Amino acid sequence: MSTIKLPSVLAFDRKLEPSDGIMFSGDWQDIGNDKKWQPIELFERRNRAVKSNFTQEVLEDEEALQKQIAEANLSWGDDGSLNHGQDTLRLSFSLRVVAGIQNPTVCNNVEFESRFNEVIAGYVQDDLQELAARYAYNIANGRFLWRNRVNAQQLKILVGTSELSNKLKFNAYDFPLSGTTTNDKDVAQLAQLILAGFKGEKNTVLKVEAFAQLGDAQRVWPSQEMVLNSAKGEKSRHLFSLNGVQGKDNVAAMHCEKIGNALRTIDDWYPKFEQTNKPIAIEAYGSVTQRGVAYRSTRNDFKTLLLKWLSSETSSQLTEQDKHFVVAMLIRGGVFGEGES
Amino acid sequence: MSQYLVLSKIEVQNANAIAGFTWGFPAITQFLGFTHALSRKISVNYQGTYNTEFVGCMVISNKVSNKVYQPKPYADFEFLQSKNPPVLAKHKATSPPIIEEGKLNATVSLVLELSDPLLLTTDQVTELENKVKAMCLNMRIAGGSVLSIGQVKLFRANNSQDESKQLSHIKRLCMPGFVLKDQSEYLKKQTEKIAVENNESAPLAAWLDFSALKVTATPELAEGQTLTNDQTDATWQYLKKPFDGYLVPIMAGYKAIAQPLTKEEVIGLRVKPDPEDQDIKAVNFVEAVHSVAEWLSMHKVTRLSEYIWRYNQDGEWYLCQQESKPSSDNNEPSTNTDLINNLF
């Protein structure tokens, strides 16, 4: 088996399974008192705004520009904010860690599967703690709060499981977003819990609560829905909401995909890291849509590295970091069959 | 006598909401698929250690929220979309496509039926329950991830007194909720009724009577008018469903649309080579079969076995069905299939 090829049917399950995050409003001093927190309900905001984006043709024609500036830009969309008199956002979600990284979910090539199983099982046995530590770091630093994290006065993360008698407490500002690892004792303990879940020694379900002190009645940022073909003149901004939270409907929430993306932002092994100094999310081609760049498009993408690793001749060329990246991709999951197209 | 494994209040996230022509709840085939997958992990006939199989399951919906939005009041619901597509080599340069999907979050309870009763001590029962719970947390239900499971409990009844006690225990674990009951009988009756006038499209018309929201117009003639014309006013009224109850259209299984093929005839199968059955027919191309079901409050359940969905394979038909009542005729599978025969 000199040249291993990807099977035509190949897919991996997610192994880090976050739930949708729900947003609550409350006061910073009420952390630890669940009863004081109320779900944030979305409301609609309609503004008579101004236009601020014109084509070059309009900019050159003074008359047309004046005419267009006089027109209002009517906007209509969802919005959400903390209640008046309350200054802190609580985001709650649960995170389940699933075992079985060494088994593809579907694979129609038995040779490939057994080789894959052998190689990855070895890694899971010996080297997985690095990844677990990095996922733990991303829980501790509250990266999953995304825009809600920006310029918060204080940030606190609580992580509980059935095994811990006391919740783990993290001050998120202790863990900068440019980093991925730390020597912190509590983060190491959290990493151990995640590791046990990956290895299948325990059924790890973490309950994560993040608190961000934003200021009185500040706006919060739930996930925005991608709405296809929304008609002109109708609501153009749909935010994600869940129903039936403590008897309330339309409660502001974060997509589980978005939380998952933040948790797997651990890739600082890509070539341009020295220049950017920002870890990126684990993606097959290292793509970062916000920046419009794919950092891993030159022979160090997931498929190339995976095949290199599985082939007995080239597997020694792989660095530790490449292996971490490949397994992190397996934890991310996805469909990787090599079809005709 | 009878033994059931109850998985109560399973929280499922991002499960499939679309099944055949219907949407709103995962298809029964998906729950039976889960049942079978769990069975393969448990049963000695496959990889497990227990001398039994899960052959059917009862589906109870505790809470469902479809991921939809309404652009404006009275508009059609539309599915929320997310950009989590497959990543293929051809997407290296271009942005990947958005695949339209319908998803939902749900809390469901499942009651699995065991083929052979297990004789276990109390400790062994606890061990089985914990094992099943751990397995389920690593599995998917209807394509969705399992976030948590309320309780896993094994029930066993030796006599009728036990059975009623068992029933009330199981009800308590699954309430409040609605259980899905096969009502293909209604579909059959409605088809027969329609077939009197219009034979050709009767099955489809009958199914649409259950699934479509229909309104009818009664003309209001002005004074002195005897014939209706374009300007005549009318009162519009919703048409009732043909039968009472919380009736819904469902996808109930599959029908073969071609001859079975061996694994040599189809390229790229997910079938592992098995030296023992060389001639096995590995693939059959199928289409979805639709039927009618009813959501019934859990407290109305009197006999569990009537509500257990099981697979029935008969020739080209592969259907999910519940045990037919003693009063109805015994060739239920064929009556049901005849119905759907002209549907597609």
Side-chain angles (χ1 to χ4, degrees), chain A residues 13 17-20 96 98-99 106 108 203 225 227-228 234 238 256 285, chain B residues 13-14 67 69 72 80 92 100 105 134 137-138 145-146 268-270:
Chain A
D13 270 358
E17 204 63 91
S19 73
D20 290 324
R96 209 158 50 75
V98 183
V106 293
N108 64 348
N203 294 314
E225 294 295 1
V227 166
L228 301 175
E234 280 166 19
H238 295 255
C256 55
Y285 294 101
Chain B
Q13 180 174 278
N14 286 345
K67 298 202 162 177
Y69 70 95
K72 51 184 176 180
L80 304 178
K92 220 162 121 174
E100 294 215 271
N105 291 354
L137 285 171
N138 279 317
S145 12
V146 180
L269 283 188
R270 279 162 46 185

PDB file of all heavy atoms in Angstrom, chain A residues 13 17-20 96 98-99 106 108 203 225 227-228 234 238 256 285, chain B residues 13-14 67 69 72 80 92 100 105 134 137-138 145-146 268-270:
ATOM      1  N   ASP A  13     -17.866  12.428  12.577  1.00  0.00           N
ATOM      2  CA  ASP A  13     -18.782  13.143  13.481  1.00  0.00           C
ATOM      3  C   ASP A  13     -18.050  14.240  14.235  1.00  0.00           C
ATOM      4  O   ASP A  13     -16.877  14.091  14.500  1.00  0.00           O
ATOM      5  CB  ASP A  13     -19.249  12.196  14.589  1.00  0.00           C
ATOM      6  CG  ASP A  13     -20.483  11.451  14.227  1.00  0.00           C
ATOM      7  OD1 ASP A  13     -20.987  11.686  13.149  1.00  0.00           O
ATOM      8  OD2 ASP A  13     -20.902  10.628  15.052  1.00  0.00           O
ATOM      9  N   GLU A  17     -19.352  18.796  21.193  1.00  0.00           N
ATOM     10  CA  GLU A  17     -20.750  19.015  20.842  1.00  0.00           C
ATOM     11  C   GLU A  17     -21.326  20.115  21.727  1.00  0.00           C
ATOM     12  O   GLU A  17     -21.844  19.834  22.803  1.00  0.00           O
ATOM     13  CB  GLU A  17     -21.445  17.687  21.070  1.00  0.00           C
ATOM     14  CG  GLU A  17     -22.695  17.372  20.347  1.00  0.00           C
ATOM     15  CD  GLU A  17     -22.584  17.290  18.847  1.00  0.00           C
ATOM     16  OE1 GLU A  17     -22.326  16.201  18.311  1.00  0.00           O
ATOM     17  OE2 GLU A  17     -22.794  18.328  18.223  1.00  0.00           O
ATOM     18  N   PRO A  18     -21.203  21.388  21.336  1.00  0.00           N
ATOM     19  CA  PRO A  18     -21.800  22.440  22.167  1.00  0.00           C
ATOM     20  C   PRO A  18     -23.294  22.560  21.898  1.00  0.00           C
ATOM     21  O   PRO A  18     -23.748  22.245  20.801  1.00  0.00           O
ATOM     22  CB  PRO A  18     -21.080  23.713  21.711  1.00  0.00           C
ATOM     23  CG  PRO A  18     -20.463  23.403  20.408  1.00  0.00           C
ATOM     24  CD  PRO A  18     -20.546  21.927  20.139  1.00  0.00           C
ATOM     25  N   SER A  19     -24.051  22.981  22.890  1.00  0.00           N
ATOM     26  CA  SER A  19     -25.463  23.259  22.656  1.00  0.00           C
ATOM     27  C   SER A  19     -25.584  24.719  22.232  1.00  0.00           C
ATOM     28  O   SER A  19     -24.625  25.476  22.305  1.00  0.00           O
ATOM     29  CB  SER A  19     -26.269  23.011  23.926  1.00  0.00           C
ATOM     30  OG  SER A  19     -26.009  24.029  24.852  1.00  0.00           O
ATOM     31  N   ASP A  20     -26.764  25.104  21.770  1.00  0.00           N
ATOM     32  CA  ASP A  20     -26.993  26.512  21.495  1.00  0.00           C
ATOM     33  C   ASP A  20     -26.829  27.292  22.803  1.00  0.00           C
ATOM     34  O   ASP A  20     -27.212  26.814  23.868  1.00  0.00           O
ATOM     35  CB  ASP A  20     -28.399  26.729  20.949  1.00  0.00           C
ATOM     36  CG  ASP A  20     -28.555  26.180  19.541  1.00  0.00           C
ATOM     37  OD1 ASP A  20     -27.590  26.272  18.775  1.00  0.00           O
ATOM     38  OD2 ASP A  20     -29.625  25.657  19.217  1.00  0.00           O
ATOM     39  N   ARG A  96     -20.691  18.762  25.329  1.00  0.00           N
ATOM     40  CA  ARG A  96     -20.519  17.335  25.510  1.00  0.00           C
ATOM     41  C   ARG A  96     -19.286  16.891  24.749  1.00  0.00           C
ATOM     42  O   ARG A  96     -19.062  17.293  23.620  1.00  0.00           O
ATOM     43  CB  ARG A  96     -21.747  16.599  24.990  1.00  0.00           C
ATOM     44  CG  ARG A  96     -22.027  15.297  25.671  1.00  0.00           C
ATOM     45  CD  ARG A  96     -23.476  14.912  25.495  1.00  0.00           C
ATOM     46  NE  ARG A  96     -23.875  15.006  24.111  1.00  0.00           N
ATOM     47  CZ  ARG A  96     -23.515  14.115  23.195  1.00  0.00           C
ATOM     48  NH1 ARG A  96     -22.768  13.082  23.518  1.00  0.00           N
ATOM     49  NH2 ARG A  96     -23.896  14.252  21.951  1.00  0.00           N
ATOM     50  N   VAL A  98     -17.359  13.806  23.072  1.00  0.00           N
ATOM     51  CA  VAL A  98     -17.743  12.502  22.548  1.00  0.00           C
ATOM     52  C   VAL A  98     -16.487  11.686  22.251  1.00  0.00           C
ATOM     53  O   VAL A  98     -15.505  12.210  21.726  1.00  0.00           O
ATOM     54  CB  VAL A  98     -18.584  12.663  21.259  1.00  0.00           C
ATOM     55  CG1 VAL A  98     -19.038  11.325  20.743  1.00  0.00           C
ATOM     56  CG2 VAL A  98     -19.765  13.563  21.531  1.00  0.00           C
ATOM     57  N   ALA A  99     -16.541  10.413  22.575  1.00  0.00           N
ATOM     58  CA  ALA A  99     -15.393   9.542  22.340  1.00  0.00           C
ATOM     59  C   ALA A  99     -15.446   8.961  20.927  1.00  0.00           C
ATOM     60  O   ALA A  99     -16.436   9.096  20.231  1.00  0.00           O
ATOM     61  CB  ALA A  99     -15.395   8.418  23.362  1.00  0.00           C
ATOM     62  N   VAL A 106     -18.563   7.161   8.608  1.00  0.00           N
ATOM     63  CA  VAL A 106     -18.782   6.306   7.443  1.00  0.00           C
ATOM     64  C   VAL A 106     -17.502   6.264   6.631  1.00  0.00           C
ATOM     65  O   VAL A 106     -16.763   7.239   6.552  1.00  0.00           O
ATOM     66  CB  VAL A 106     -19.943   6.804   6.547  1.00  0.00           C
ATOM     67  CG1 VAL A 106     -21.252   6.672   7.254  1.00  0.00           C
ATOM     68  CG2 VAL A 106     -19.709   8.222   6.093  1.00  0.00           C
ATOM     69  N   ASN A 108     -16.103   3.752   3.138  1.00  0.00           N
ATOM     70  CA  ASN A 108     -16.417   2.570   2.329  1.00  0.00           C
ATOM     71  C   ASN A 108     -15.169   1.834   1.848  1.00  0.00           C
ATOM     72  O   ASN A 108     -15.191   1.160   0.841  1.00  0.00           O
ATOM     73  CB  ASN A 108     -17.313   2.932   1.153  1.00  0.00           C
ATOM     74  CG  ASN A 108     -16.623   3.873   0.202  1.00  0.00           C
ATOM     75  OD1 ASN A 108     -15.572   4.422   0.521  1.00  0.00           O
ATOM     76  ND2 ASN A 108     -17.199   4.048  -0.967  1.00  0.00           N
ATOM     77  N   ASN A 203     -18.248  10.027  30.642  1.00  0.00           N
ATOM     78  CA  ASN A 203     -19.138  10.807  29.785  1.00  0.00           C
ATOM     79  C   ASN A 203     -19.074  12.241  30.254  1.00  0.00           C
ATOM     80  O   ASN A 203     -19.746  12.624  31.191  1.00  0.00           O
ATOM     81  CB  ASN A 203     -20.563  10.293  29.877  1.00  0.00           C
ATOM     82  CG  ASN A 203     -20.660   8.911  29.307  1.00  0.00           C
ATOM     83  OD1 ASN A 203     -20.136   8.649  28.229  1.00  0.00           O
ATOM     84  ND2 ASN A 203     -21.284   8.017  30.042  1.00  0.00           N
ATOM     85  N   GLU A 225     -29.116  35.389  11.841  1.00  0.00           N
ATOM     86  CA  GLU A 225     -29.529  34.330  10.928  1.00  0.00           C
ATOM     87  C   GLU A 225     -29.136  34.660   9.511  1.00  0.00           C
ATOM     88  O   GLU A 225     -29.207  35.806   9.092  1.00  0.00           O
ATOM     89  CB  GLU A 225     -31.051  34.148  10.972  1.00  0.00           C
ATOM     90  CG  GLU A 225     -31.585  33.652  12.270  1.00  0.00           C
ATOM     91  CD  GLU A 225     -31.121  32.263  12.592  1.00  0.00           C
ATOM     92  OE1 GLU A 225     -30.354  31.676  11.803  1.00  0.00           O
ATOM     93  OE2 GLU A 225     -31.517  31.754  13.654  1.00  0.00           O
ATOM     94  N   VAL A 227     -30.493  34.630   6.245  1.00  0.00           N
ATOM     95  CA  VAL A 227     -31.817  34.497   5.659  1.00  0.00           C
ATOM     96  C   VAL A 227     -31.695  34.607   4.152  1.00  0.00           C
ATOM     97  O   VAL A 227     -31.150  35.570   3.633  1.00  0.00           O
ATOM     98  CB  VAL A 227     -32.758  35.579   6.226  1.00  0.00           C
ATOM     99  CG1 VAL A 227     -34.019  35.662   5.397  1.00  0.00           C
ATOM    100  CG2 VAL A 227     -33.091  35.254   7.660  1.00  0.00           C
ATOM    101  N   LEU A 228     -32.177  33.588   3.475  1.00  0.00           N
ATOM    102  CA  LEU A 228     -32.058  33.574   2.026  1.00  0.00           C
ATOM    103  C   LEU A 228     -33.242  34.296   1.406  1.00  0.00           C
ATOM    104  O   LEU A 228     -34.353  34.233   1.914  1.00  0.00           O
ATOM    105  CB  LEU A 228     -32.015  32.129   1.527  1.00  0.00           C
ATOM    106  CG  LEU A 228     -30.872  31.291   2.091  1.00  0.00           C
ATOM    107  CD1 LEU A 228     -31.011  29.858   1.634  1.00  0.00           C
ATOM    108  CD2 LEU A 228     -29.537  31.836   1.661  1.00  0.00           C
ATOM    109  N   GLU A 234     -38.777  44.447   3.619  1.00  0.00           N
ATOM    110  CA  GLU A 234     -39.220  43.706   4.783  1.00  0.00           C
ATOM    111  C   GLU A 234     -38.065  43.534   5.758  1.00  0.00           C
ATOM    112  O   GLU A 234     -36.958  43.947   5.475  1.00  0.00           O
ATOM    113  CB  GLU A 234     -39.766  42.338   4.350  1.00  0.00           C
ATOM    114  CG  GLU A 234     -41.169  42.472   3.828  1.00  0.00           C
ATOM    115  CD  GLU A 234     -41.621  41.245   3.080  1.00  0.00           C
ATOM    116  OE1 GLU A 234     -41.003  40.196   3.268  1.00  0.00           O
ATOM    117  OE2 GLU A 234     -42.577  41.365   2.313  1.00  0.00           O
ATOM    118  N   HIS A 238     -32.478  39.207  10.874  1.00  0.00           N
ATOM    119  CA  HIS A 238     -33.111  38.230  11.752  1.00  0.00           C
ATOM    120  C   HIS A 238     -32.068  37.714  12.725  1.00  0.00           C
ATOM    121  O   HIS A 238     -31.023  37.227  12.299  1.00  0.00           O
ATOM    122  CB  HIS A 238     -33.662  37.047  10.946  1.00  0.00           C
ATOM    123  CG  HIS A 238     -34.765  37.411  10.007  1.00  0.00           C
ATOM    124  ND1 HIS A 238     -36.077  37.119  10.254  1.00  0.00           N
ATOM    125  CD2 HIS A 238     -34.747  38.045   8.818  1.00  0.00           C
ATOM    126  CE1 HIS A 238     -36.829  37.555   9.257  1.00  0.00           C
ATOM    127  NE2 HIS A 238     -36.036  38.119   8.371  1.00  0.00           N
ATOM    128  N   CYS A 256     -24.972  27.045  17.971  1.00  0.00           N
ATOM    129  CA  CYS A 256     -23.970  26.110  18.466  1.00  0.00           C
ATOM    130  C   CYS A 256     -22.755  26.067  17.532  1.00  0.00           C
ATOM    131  O   CYS A 256     -21.626  25.880  17.975  1.00  0.00           O
ATOM    132  CB  CYS A 256     -24.574  24.716  18.620  1.00  0.00           C
ATOM    133  SG  CYS A 256     -25.338  24.087  17.135  1.00  0.00           S
ATOM    134  N   TYR A 285      -8.877  23.926   5.038  1.00  0.00           N
ATOM    135  CA  TYR A 285      -7.891  24.720   4.299  1.00  0.00           C
ATOM    136  C   TYR A 285      -7.483  25.963   5.082  1.00  0.00           C
ATOM    137  O   TYR A 285      -7.005  26.923   4.503  1.00  0.00           O
ATOM    138  CB  TYR A 285      -8.450  25.097   2.927  1.00  0.00           C
ATOM    139  CG  TYR A 285      -8.640  23.886   2.053  1.00  0.00           C
ATOM    140  CD1 TYR A 285      -9.885  23.326   1.882  1.00  0.00           C
ATOM    141  CD2 TYR A 285      -7.551  23.278   1.447  1.00  0.00           C
ATOM    142  CE1 TYR A 285     -10.054  22.181   1.122  1.00  0.00           C
ATOM    143  CE2 TYR A 285      -7.702  22.142   0.685  1.00  0.00           C
ATOM    144  CZ  TYR A 285      -8.963  21.596   0.525  1.00  0.00           C
ATOM    145  OH  TYR A 285      -9.111  20.459  -0.221  1.00  0.00           O
TER     146      TYR A 285
ATOM    147  N   GLN B  13     -30.493  18.093  19.443  1.00  0.00           N
ATOM    148  CA  GLN B  13     -30.249  19.399  18.837  1.00  0.00           C
ATOM    149  C   GLN B  13     -29.946  19.235  17.355  1.00  0.00           C
ATOM    150  O   GLN B  13     -29.194  18.354  16.964  1.00  0.00           O
ATOM    151  CB  GLN B  13     -29.072  20.058  19.543  1.00  0.00           C
ATOM    152  CG  GLN B  13     -28.725  21.429  19.002  1.00  0.00           C
ATOM    153  CD  GLN B  13     -27.652  22.094  19.828  1.00  0.00           C
ATOM    154  OE1 GLN B  13     -27.903  22.681  20.867  1.00  0.00           O
ATOM    155  NE2 GLN B  13     -26.430  21.972  19.380  1.00  0.00           N
ATOM    156  N   ASN B  14     -30.525  20.098  16.551  1.00  0.00           N
ATOM    157  CA  ASN B  14     -30.288  20.123  15.104  1.00  0.00           C
ATOM    158  C   ASN B  14     -30.592  18.790  14.423  1.00  0.00           C
ATOM    159  O   ASN B  14     -29.784  18.296  13.622  1.00  0.00           O
ATOM    160  CB  ASN B  14     -28.844  20.542  14.798  1.00  0.00           C
ATOM    161  CG  ASN B  14     -28.642  22.015  15.022  1.00  0.00           C
ATOM    162  OD1 ASN B  14     -29.602  22.766  15.137  1.00  0.00           O
ATOM    163  ND2 ASN B  14     -27.407  22.428  15.087  1.00  0.00           N
ATOM    164  N   LYS B  67     -36.521  25.057  13.605  1.00  0.00           N
ATOM    165  CA  LYS B  67     -35.708  26.255  13.374  1.00  0.00           C
ATOM    166  C   LYS B  67     -36.204  26.949  12.113  1.00  0.00           C
ATOM    167  O   LYS B  67     -35.717  26.699  11.017  1.00  0.00           O
ATOM    168  CB  LYS B  67     -34.247  25.871  13.283  1.00  0.00           C
ATOM    169  CG  LYS B  67     -33.751  25.242  14.571  1.00  0.00           C
ATOM    170  CD  LYS B  67     -32.261  25.338  14.709  1.00  0.00           C
ATOM    171  CE  LYS B  67     -31.870  25.112  16.146  1.00  0.00           C
ATOM    172  NZ  LYS B  67     -30.432  25.122  16.330  1.00  0.00           N
ATOM    173  N   TYR B  69     -38.305  30.714  10.517  1.00  0.00           N
ATOM    174  CA  TYR B  69     -38.705  32.092  10.778  1.00  0.00           C
ATOM    175  C   TYR B  69     -39.817  32.452   9.814  1.00  0.00           C
ATOM    176  O   TYR B  69     -40.017  31.807   8.799  1.00  0.00           O
ATOM    177  CB  TYR B  69     -37.521  33.049  10.641  1.00  0.00           C
ATOM    178  CG  TYR B  69     -37.041  33.235   9.225  1.00  0.00           C
ATOM    179  CD1 TYR B  69     -37.485  34.303   8.446  1.00  0.00           C
ATOM    180  CD2 TYR B  69     -36.148  32.346   8.661  1.00  0.00           C
ATOM    181  CE1 TYR B  69     -37.055  34.465   7.147  1.00  0.00           C
ATOM    182  CE2 TYR B  69     -35.719  32.495   7.370  1.00  0.00           C
ATOM    183  CZ  TYR B  69     -36.177  33.559   6.609  1.00  0.00           C
ATOM    184  OH  TYR B  69     -35.749  33.708   5.325  1.00  0.00           O
ATOM    185  N   LYS B  72     -42.870  37.761   7.675  1.00  0.00           N
ATOM    186  CA  LYS B  72     -43.841  38.709   8.230  1.00  0.00           C
ATOM    187  C   LYS B  72     -45.054  37.897   8.657  1.00  0.00           C
ATOM    188  O   LYS B  72     -45.207  36.744   8.232  1.00  0.00           O
ATOM    189  CB  LYS B  72     -44.229  39.769   7.199  1.00  0.00           C
ATOM    190  CG  LYS B  72     -44.654  39.176   5.877  1.00  0.00           C
ATOM    191  CD  LYS B  72     -44.924  40.266   4.861  1.00  0.00           C
ATOM    192  CE  LYS B  72     -45.260  39.651   3.529  1.00  0.00           C
ATOM    193  NZ  LYS B  72     -45.531  40.596   2.483  1.00  0.00           N
ATOM    194  N   LEU B  80     -34.351  28.280   8.771  1.00  0.00           N
ATOM    195  CA  LEU B  80     -33.108  29.003   9.010  1.00  0.00           C
ATOM    196  C   LEU B  80     -31.988  28.253   8.307  1.00  0.00           C
ATOM    197  O   LEU B  80     -31.946  27.030   8.334  1.00  0.00           O
ATOM    198  CB  LEU B  80     -32.801  29.053  10.507  1.00  0.00           C
ATOM    199  CG  LEU B  80     -33.860  29.650  11.407  1.00  0.00           C
ATOM    200  CD1 LEU B  80     -33.393  29.555  12.846  1.00  0.00           C
ATOM    201  CD2 LEU B  80     -34.091  31.094  11.043  1.00  0.00           C
ATOM    202  N   LYS B  92     -11.653  24.760  -2.703  1.00  0.00           N
ATOM    203  CA  LYS B  92     -10.429  25.400  -2.235  1.00  0.00           C
ATOM    204  C   LYS B  92     -10.381  26.853  -2.670  1.00  0.00           C
ATOM    205  O   LYS B  92      -9.989  27.724  -1.917  1.00  0.00           O
ATOM    206  CB  LYS B  92      -9.242  24.642  -2.826  1.00  0.00           C
ATOM    207  CG  LYS B  92      -8.103  24.479  -1.869  1.00  0.00           C
ATOM    208  CD  LYS B  92      -7.201  23.373  -2.342  1.00  0.00           C
ATOM    209  CE  LYS B  92      -5.819  23.886  -2.564  1.00  0.00           C
ATOM    210  NZ  LYS B  92      -4.880  22.810  -2.891  1.00  0.00           N
ATOM    211  N   GLU B 100     -29.345  23.687   1.643  1.00  0.00           N
ATOM    212  CA  GLU B 100     -30.565  24.010   2.377  1.00  0.00           C
ATOM    213  C   GLU B 100     -30.996  22.822   3.220  1.00  0.00           C
ATOM    214  O   GLU B 100     -31.120  21.705   2.728  1.00  0.00           O
ATOM    215  CB  GLU B 100     -31.678  24.379   1.411  1.00  0.00           C
ATOM    216  CG  GLU B 100     -31.384  25.644   0.666  1.00  0.00           C
ATOM    217  CD  GLU B 100     -32.635  26.449   0.416  1.00  0.00           C
ATOM    218  OE1 GLU B 100     -33.261  26.220  -0.606  1.00  0.00           O
ATOM    219  OE2 GLU B 100     -32.976  27.287   1.259  1.00  0.00           O
ATOM    220  N   ASN B 105     -34.897  21.500  17.133  1.00  0.00           N
ATOM    221  CA  ASN B 105     -34.481  21.032  18.457  1.00  0.00           C
ATOM    222  C   ASN B 105     -35.690  20.351  19.072  1.00  0.00           C
ATOM    223  O   ASN B 105     -36.807  20.830  18.924  1.00  0.00           O
ATOM    224  CB  ASN B 105     -34.066  22.190  19.357  1.00  0.00           C
ATOM    225  CG  ASN B 105     -32.772  22.835  18.895  1.00  0.00           C
ATOM    226  OD1 ASN B 105     -32.134  22.348  17.972  1.00  0.00           O
ATOM    227  ND2 ASN B 105     -32.411  23.928  19.525  1.00  0.00           N
ATOM    228  N   ALA B 134     -24.531   5.783  28.182  1.00  0.00           N
ATOM    229  CA  ALA B 134     -23.241   6.206  27.645  1.00  0.00           C
ATOM    230  C   ALA B 134     -23.208   6.043  26.129  1.00  0.00           C
ATOM    231  O   ALA B 134     -22.696   6.898  25.413  1.00  0.00           O
ATOM    232  CB  ALA B 134     -22.126   5.396  28.285  1.00  0.00           C
ATOM    233  N   LEU B 137     -25.261   8.775  24.346  1.00  0.00           N
ATOM    234  CA  LEU B 137     -24.619  10.083  24.329  1.00  0.00           C
ATOM    235  C   LEU B 137     -23.580  10.170  23.215  1.00  0.00           C
ATOM    236  O   LEU B 137     -23.203  11.246  22.788  1.00  0.00           O
ATOM    237  CB  LEU B 137     -23.961  10.369  25.678  1.00  0.00           C
ATOM    238  CG  LEU B 137     -24.919  10.728  26.804  1.00  0.00           C
ATOM    239  CD1 LEU B 137     -24.206  10.769  28.128  1.00  0.00           C
ATOM    240  CD2 LEU B 137     -25.584  12.067  26.540  1.00  0.00           C
ATOM    241  N   ASN B 138     -23.097   9.027  22.760  1.00  0.00           N
ATOM    242  CA  ASN B 138     -22.143   9.017  21.659  1.00  0.00           C
ATOM    243  C   ASN B 138     -22.805   8.801  20.310  1.00  0.00           C
ATOM    244  O   ASN B 138     -22.131   8.642  19.315  1.00  0.00           O
ATOM    245  CB  ASN B 138     -21.097   7.927  21.875  1.00  0.00           C
ATOM    246  CG  ASN B 138     -20.018   8.391  22.817  1.00  0.00           C
ATOM    247  OD1 ASN B 138     -19.563   9.517  22.709  1.00  0.00           O
ATOM    248  ND2 ASN B 138     -19.642   7.540  23.751  1.00  0.00           N
ATOM    249  N   SER B 145     -27.585  15.940  17.379  1.00  0.00           N
ATOM    250  CA  SER B 145     -26.739  15.503  18.477  1.00  0.00           C
ATOM    251  C   SER B 145     -27.549  15.402  19.754  1.00  0.00           C
ATOM    252  O   SER B 145     -28.426  16.216  20.015  1.00  0.00           O
ATOM    253  CB  SER B 145     -25.568  16.446  18.680  1.00  0.00           C
ATOM    254  OG  SER B 145     -25.740  17.614  17.963  1.00  0.00           O
ATOM    255  N   VAL B 146     -27.227  14.404  20.537  1.00  0.00           N
ATOM    256  CA  VAL B 146     -27.903  14.182  21.812  1.00  0.00           C
ATOM    257  C   VAL B 146     -27.200  15.039  22.856  1.00  0.00           C
ATOM    258  O   VAL B 146     -26.018  14.883  23.089  1.00  0.00           O
ATOM    259  CB  VAL B 146     -27.809  12.707  22.212  1.00  0.00           C
ATOM    260  CG1 VAL B 146     -28.506  12.465  23.532  1.00  0.00           C
ATOM    261  CG2 VAL B 146     -28.388  11.832  21.136  1.00  0.00           C
ATOM    262  N   GLY B 268     -18.851   2.073  -5.103  1.00  0.00           N
ATOM    263  CA  GLY B 268     -18.701   2.946  -3.956  1.00  0.00           C
ATOM    264  C   GLY B 268     -19.662   2.680  -2.828  1.00  0.00           C
ATOM    265  O   GLY B 268     -20.174   3.607  -2.206  1.00  0.00           O
ATOM    266  N   LEU B 269     -19.937   1.428  -2.513  1.00  0.00           N
ATOM    267  CA  LEU B 269     -20.870   1.114  -1.432  1.00  0.00           C
ATOM    268  C   LEU B 269     -20.193   1.116  -0.084  1.00  0.00           C
ATOM    269  O   LEU B 269     -19.001   0.871   0.032  1.00  0.00           O
ATOM    270  CB  LEU B 269     -21.459  -0.274  -1.658  1.00  0.00           C
ATOM    271  CG  LEU B 269     -22.526  -0.384  -2.704  1.00  0.00           C
ATOM    272  CD1 LEU B 269     -23.119  -1.755  -2.643  1.00  0.00           C
ATOM    273  CD2 LEU B 269     -23.608   0.633  -2.437  1.00  0.00           C
ATOM    274  N   ARG B 270     -21.005   1.338   0.949  1.00  0.00           N
ATOM    275  CA  ARG B 270     -20.473   1.293   2.305  1.00  0.00           C
ATOM    276  C   ARG B 270     -20.669  -0.089   2.911  1.00  0.00           C
ATOM    277  O   ARG B 270     -20.975  -0.224   4.066  1.00  0.00           O
ATOM    278  CB  ARG B 270     -21.193   2.327   3.169  1.00  0.00           C
ATOM    279  CG  ARG B 270     -20.672   3.710   3.022  1.00  0.00           C
ATOM    280  CD  ARG B 270     -21.674   4.700   3.535  1.00  0.00           C
ATOM    281  NE  ARG B 270     -22.246   4.327   4.825  1.00  0.00           N
ATOM    282  CZ  ARG B 270     -23.206   4.997   5.413  1.00  0.00           C
ATOM    283  NH1 ARG B 270     -23.722   6.035   4.839  1.00  0.00           N
ATOM    284  NH2 ARG B 270     -23.663   4.620   6.574  1.00  0.00           N
TER     285      ARG B 270
END
